[in-house]
Amino acid sequence: MLQTNKRFSLRLLCSLLACILLFQTALCEIDLIDDKDIVVDTANYKTCTVALSDYKKSGTVSAAEHYPSLLNVRYEGANARFVEFNVRRGEEVKKGDVLVTLAIDRDEVLIYEREMALARLKEDYAKNVSLREEEISEKMRDINAEENPYTREIRRLECEKLRLSLEKYRFETENAINDMTASLEELYQSYENQYLYAPMDGVVSDYTYLRENEIVTNGRVLMQLYDPTEMLFIVTNEKGSFRYNMPVTVEVGPGKTRTTGYGRVIACKNALPGESGSNNAFILIESYEGGKTPKNFTRPVVKFDEVYLEDVFVVDKDAVSLYGGRYFVYKLSENGMVSKRYVNHVAGTNQTGSFLLDGVEIGEKLILDS
């Protein structure tokens, strides 16, 4: 029985060996893949090439109209009662146009008091001059009648003193009369100011709200005018983005017919080191697109280049990574080797790209982190 099992196992082993030999022969005869179709297994990277370029960071802010030639129109005269404004806000006016109508109430008591004071001063002046001249004449008679030369000289000096005193009195009193007369004339004229006229050509910027018959006192500001030919744009400059003489563009007007103006910053807080004051910057437009100044300045928007550098390293922002507070890039060499290098990254956005100060060379390929 044992002998029979051995012979069976031997025949089975021989059969298996024959099958293996036949299978190997079949594999050798079959060509699985052509040698030309065999390629090296490499990674496909998205890259950018380092080159010198211009780095520009732009900004856009809203602005407002600013008119430096702004004039306060004041009422000067006796107390008056308000009647009406003859112009509206935003209306153009010419020099001499009527702006405000007022009703003047004459103060007859004040006028009478000043007239009587002037009359009394003139009367007293005439009386005092006559008395002093008579005193001088009497002194002259005494001098002529005096025989003693020493006494005569003393009286002559006394007479000269009286004459000088009279001249002083005349000078002071006549000046007082002239001043009082001028004051009275001004009072008369003040009651003639029933209208307030435009002192210049301009546009009504604003006016004081007044009720009918409200009292208007001397020196009160009733209206503001500005010269439309002298206009600036004003923007907030808290971050210091605007610099003196910096070129900017301004877009104004309705949505479909907006006009572009080209100008410069003519005043700002940081124009000089250590300057303090307003955080505003003022822009003067030098020319408008098409050569014509628009009539509509609605919704002004200022566009500017906050940063502009020429011939610096600017690469795709996805090429720069940050880890542990340090920026780095992955460089791809010509032989396919990848190396990590730290760079000095200054600033950058998706729109501007990344501005690198050093750590890269022109022509190098950087791997993008996509």
Side-chain angles (χ1 to χ4, degrees):
M1 185 65 179
L2 182 58
Q3 191 70 21
T4 302
N5 290 336
K6 288 181 177 180
R7 285 197 298 270
F8 176 77
S9 298
L10 182 60
R11 284 197 299 270
L12 180 60
L13 180 60
C14 291
S15 299
L16 291 174
L17 289 174
C19 291
I20 292 173
L21 289 174
L22 289 173
F23 181 71
Q24 288 180 343
T25 301
L27 288 177
C28 291
E29 293 177 355
I30 298 174
D31 190 3
L32 296 179
I33 188 169
D34 195 336
D35 291 340
K36 66 181 180 180
D37 294 330
I38 300 175
V39 295
V40 179
D41 186 15
T42 58
N44 293 322
Y45 296 108
K46 291 183 179 180
T47 62
C48 67
T49 303
V50 178
L52 293 179
S53 181
D54 297 338
Y55 179 78
K56 181 171 64 175
K57 182 181 178 182
S58 302
T60 301
V61 296
S62 298
E65 299 172 49
H66 177 73
Y67 297 92
S69 298
L70 187 66
L71 176 66
N72 290 327
V73 181
R74 302 175 183 273
Y75 168 70
E76 295 180 357
N79 290 351
R81 290 180 291 105
F82 172 74
V83 177
E84 65 175 345
F85 286 111
N86 298 89
V87 292
R88 298 180 179 179
R89 184 183 289 108
E91 183 176 341
E92 293 187 10
V93 297
K94 298 294 184 181
K95 184 176 180 179
D97 288 350
V98 177
L99 303 179
V100 187
T101 300
L102 302 169
I104 310 298
D105 294 329
R106 285 174 60 93
D107 190 343
E108 298 296 342
V109 174
L110 178 61
I111 293 175
Y112 176 76
E113 288 177 350
R114 292 192 180 183
E115 288 176 341
M116 291 302 297
L118 178 60
R120 283 195 297 270
L121 182 59
K122 289 181 178 181
E123 183 180 342
D124 292 342
Y125 172 69
K127 184 185 297 183
N128 289 330
V129 168
S130 178
L131 290 175
R132 294 191 182 202
E133 287 178 344
E134 184 178 347
E135 185 179 2
I136 293 173
S137 297
E138 184 178 349
K139 185 66 68 175
M140 289 296 297
R141 288 192 295 270
D142 292 343
I143 293 173
N144 295 330
E146 183 61 49
E147 297 180 356
N148 189 317
Y150 296 105
T151 305
R152 185 186 302 113
E153 181 64 19
I154 292 173
R155 290 180 177 177
R156 189 189 69 79
L157 292 174
E158 291 176 346
C159 183
E160 184 65 23
K161 182 178 179 182
L162 290 175
R163 188 178 289 110
L164 291 175
S165 177
L166 175 59
E167 291 299 322
K168 179 182 178 183
Y169 174 75
R170 279 177 170 170
F171 176 78
E172 293 177 347
T173 308
E174 287 177 358
N175 283 339
I177 291 174
N178 291 335
D179 291 342
M180 189 172 292
T181 302
S183 177
L184 187 58
E185 289 296 327
E186 289 179 1
L187 182 60
Y188 290 147
Q189 293 176 4
S190 69
Y191 293 119
E192 298 175 359
N193 295 336
Q194 297 182 354
Y195 301 98
L196 194 62
Y197 300 96
M200 69 173 194
D201 294 350
V203 177
V204 179
S205 172
D206 198 5
Y207 53 81
T208 304
Y209 174 76
L210 295 171
R211 296 183 299 273
E212 187 176 358
N213 290 325
E214 183 174 341
I215 297 298
V216 179
T217 57
N218 181 47
R220 185 171 183 180
V221 176
L222 300 183
M223 191 172 295
Q224 288 183 327
L225 301 179
Y226 67 84
D227 185 354
T229 63
E230 299 180 10
M231 189 192 75
L232 303 175
F233 287 102
I234 184 172
V235 295
T236 302
N237 191 32
E238 292 182 353
K239 297 181 179 179
S241 302
F242 292 91
R243 301 174 297 278
Y244 177 73
N245 206 36
M246 177 181 181
V248 299
T249 60
V250 180
E251 293 183 358
V252 297
K256 295 183 179 180
T257 58
R258 289 179 71 76
T259 304
T260 300
Y262 307 93
R264 293 183 177 275
V265 177
I266 63 169
C268 58
K269 179 180 178 180
N270 53 9
L272 295 174
E275 278 291 292
S276 60
S278 172
N279 285 324
N280 296 325
F282 298 88
I283 298 169
L284 174 65
I285 299 300
E286 299 171 338
S287 63
Y288 282 96
E289 189 176 28
K292 293 184 178 180
T293 302
K295 295 183 179 180
N296 193 327
F297 295 99
T298 58
R299 298 189 296 109
V301 173
V302 177
K303 296 183 178 181
F304 60 98
D305 292 334
E306 183 176 356
V307 178
Y308 182 78
L309 300 170
E310 296 181 348
D311 296 333
V312 295
F313 294 123
V314 180
V315 300
D316 194 303
K317 191 173 185 301
D318 291 336
V320 182
S321 301
L322 174 64
Y323 182 78
R326 300 183 66 183
Y327 289 93
F328 62 91
V329 297
Y330 286 109
K331 297 182 179 182
L332 181 64
S333 63
E334 294 182 357
N335 60 8
M337 296 296 293
V338 177
S339 59
K340 178 180 178 181
R341 290 292 183 273
Y342 288 102
V343 295
N344 190 341
H345 177 268
V346 180
T349 64
N350 291 329
Q351 291 74 29
T352 64
S354 290
F355 167 33
L356 304 181
L357 193 61
D358 56 25
V360 294
E361 298 292 340
I362 298 176
E364 291 182 328
K365 290 187 179 296
L366 307 182
I367 299 174
L368 304 181
D369 183 16
S370 58

